[in-house]
């Protein structure tokens, strides 16, 4: 009996130490720590569609039709998100353009920092030139940082910068890009480059070329008039144009002039705003 009691005590001690397997089962591992919730936008941010439903949204970075050649990190849904003052200023500009038979079309709005980081990684990968034929045909990829086409921070991440154009009404939808299709230079004549329902601005969107400079003297006639129409309409509502890019405008004063956000481009980021 003494030996049996000793055996029971040994078994009990082993079980208490977690060393005993019962019917072949093993102790369950500790649950992993909960993933940190995705950041949400401050209440000053809104979906543009909640302010103006008539502005066309063609969010290029959710697709493969951009200079990277694939959907960009952080763009979960094709949605324009902006600070409310910027969105309301776009609405005022849209009212004026609608009266003249045009509509605004946005290509990019708020851009999370993780998307900017994606651009930086892509720019450092000199072997990846799958979209060179359209977006930067004359620029050596090793020069993208030095020439100012790519940077580690973007004003878009502050929420008041937008890339956009003008479309004549009635708007004809832009056809879908087919990955792998033959690329044409972004500065080619409008009839030759990728079809876009925008009025002719002289280059396509995100064209890494000096012809994209808003006031480049080589841009004349209707192309120049279209750029000036876009610029004058937006400047009247408080936007400032980036001279190197006819499509790039920042609303002033910015609500967040020194903050670079990283919440994803998704409806949940501004839900309830």
């Amino acid at each position: 009996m003494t030996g049996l009691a000793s055996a029971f005590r040994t078994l009990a001690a082993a079980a208490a130490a977690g060393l005993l397997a019962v019917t072949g089962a093993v102790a369950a591992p500790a649950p992993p720590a909960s993933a940190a919730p995705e950041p949400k936008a401050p209440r000053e941010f809104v979906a543009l569609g909640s302010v103006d439903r008539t502005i066309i949204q063609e969010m290029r970075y959710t697709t493969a039709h951009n200079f990277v050649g694939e959907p960009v990190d952080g763009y979960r849904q094709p949605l324009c998100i902006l600070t409310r003052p910027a969105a309301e200023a776009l609405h005022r500009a849209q009212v004026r353009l609608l009266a003249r038979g045009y509509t605004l079309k946005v290509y990019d709005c708020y851009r999370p920092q993780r998307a900017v980081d994606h651009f930086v990684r892509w720019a450092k990968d000199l072997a990846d030139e799958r979209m060179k034929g359209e977006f930067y045909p004359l620029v050596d990829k090793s020069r993208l940082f030095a020439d100012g086409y790519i940077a580690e921070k973007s004003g878009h991440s502050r929420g008041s910068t937008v890339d956009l154009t003008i479309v004549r009404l009635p708007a004809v939808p832009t056809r879908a890009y087919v990955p792998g299709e033959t690329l044409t230079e972004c500065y080619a004549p409008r009839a030759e480059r990728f079809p876009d329902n925008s009025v002719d601005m002289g280059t396509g969107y995100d064209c890494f070329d000096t012809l994209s400079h808003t006031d480049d003297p080589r841009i004349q006639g209707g192309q120049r008039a279209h750029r000036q129409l876009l610029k004058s309409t937006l400047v009247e509502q408080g936007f400032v144009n980036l001279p190197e890019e006819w499509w790039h405008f920042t609303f002033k004063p910015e609500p967040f002039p020194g903050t670079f956000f990283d919440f994803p481009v998704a409806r949940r980021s501004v839900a309830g705003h």
Side-chain angles (χ1 to χ4, degrees):
M1 291 294 292
T2 302
L4 184 61
S6 176
F8 279 137
R9 286 195 296 272
T10 300
L11 290 173
L19 302 176
L20 181 64
V22 180
T23 64
V26 295
S34 299
E38 285 275 29
K40 290 193 67 174
R43 294 197 63 83
E44 290 86 350
F45 283 79
V46 295
L48 175 62
S50 69
V51 176
D52 192 309
R53 296 178 180 272
T54 67
I55 296 174
I56 298 172
Q57 299 188 31
E58 186 181 310
M59 308 304 290
R60 286 286 186 88
Y61 298 141
T62 64
T63 76
H65 189 214
N66 58 65
F67 58 84
V68 175
E70 62 188 11
V72 178
D73 290 354
Y75 287 86
R76 307 281 175 78
Q77 294 168 320
L79 180 71
C80 173
I81 295 175
L82 289 168
T83 59
R84 183 175 291 279
E88 291 176 345
L90 279 189
H91 167 68
R92 295 192 298 270
Q94 175 75 341
V95 169
R96 286 156 176 75
L97 286 171
L98 289 174
R100 300 182 62 171
Y102 296 96
T103 177
L104 291 171
K105 178 174 79 170
V106 294
Y107 294 114
D108 191 35
C109 301
Y110 158 74
R111 180 184 304 166
Q113 181 60 45
R114 69 191 77 180
V116 179
D117 296 342
H118 190 167
F119 293 165
V120 170
R121 291 194 305 274
W122 165 82
K124 292 179 179 179
D125 181 3
L126 301 184
D128 183 356
E129 294 190 328
R130 72 189 105 163
M131 302 302 286
K132 179 178 176 63
E134 179 175 353
F135 292 96
Y136 54 106
L138 297 180
V139 180
D140 190 301
K141 194 175 180 184
S142 66
R143 296 284 309 169
L144 292 180
F145 289 103
D147 291 350
Y149 293 112
I150 299 293
E152 295 186 351
K153 294 291 184 181
S154 169
H156 282 273
S157 301
R158 301 194 297 261
S160 296
T161 294
V162 59
D163 293 342
L164 73 174
T165 189
I166 294 174
V167 176
R168 188 182 296 278
L169 294 171
V172 177
T174 297
R175 74 161 173 85
Y177 166 76
V178 180
E181 70 176 81
T182 301
L183 302 177
T184 301
E185 297 90 343
C186 53
Y187 49 73
R190 186 186 187 202
E192 299 175 18
R193 62 181 183 257
F194 184 85
D196 189 317
N197 60 1
S198 167
V199 299
D200 188 3
M201 292 290 192
T203 76
Y205 169 57
D206 262 354
C207 186
F208 294 5
D209 193 274
T210 54
L211 280 172
S212 294
H213 293 187
T214 306
D215 294 319
D216 188 288
R218 293 168 292 177
I219 301 297
Q220 294 294 325
Q223 297 172 341
R224 189 173 191 85
H226 292 150
R227 292 188 184 190
Q228 291 306 312
L229 175 60
L230 177 64
K231 181 178 178 180
S232 63
T233 303
L234 292 177
V235 167
E236 184 180 41
Q237 302 306 323
F239 286 92
V240 176
N241 174 239
L242 179 67
E244 290 78 18
E245 299 177 351
W246 60 257
W247 56 82
H248 180 117
F249 290 84
T250 300
F251 180 76
K252 301 286 186 177
E254 295 182 66
F256 300 100
T259 306
F260 298 86
F261 295 96
D262 193 41
F263 57 85
V265 177
R267 292 180 183 86
R268 65 166 297 280
S269 295
V270 290
H273 290 196

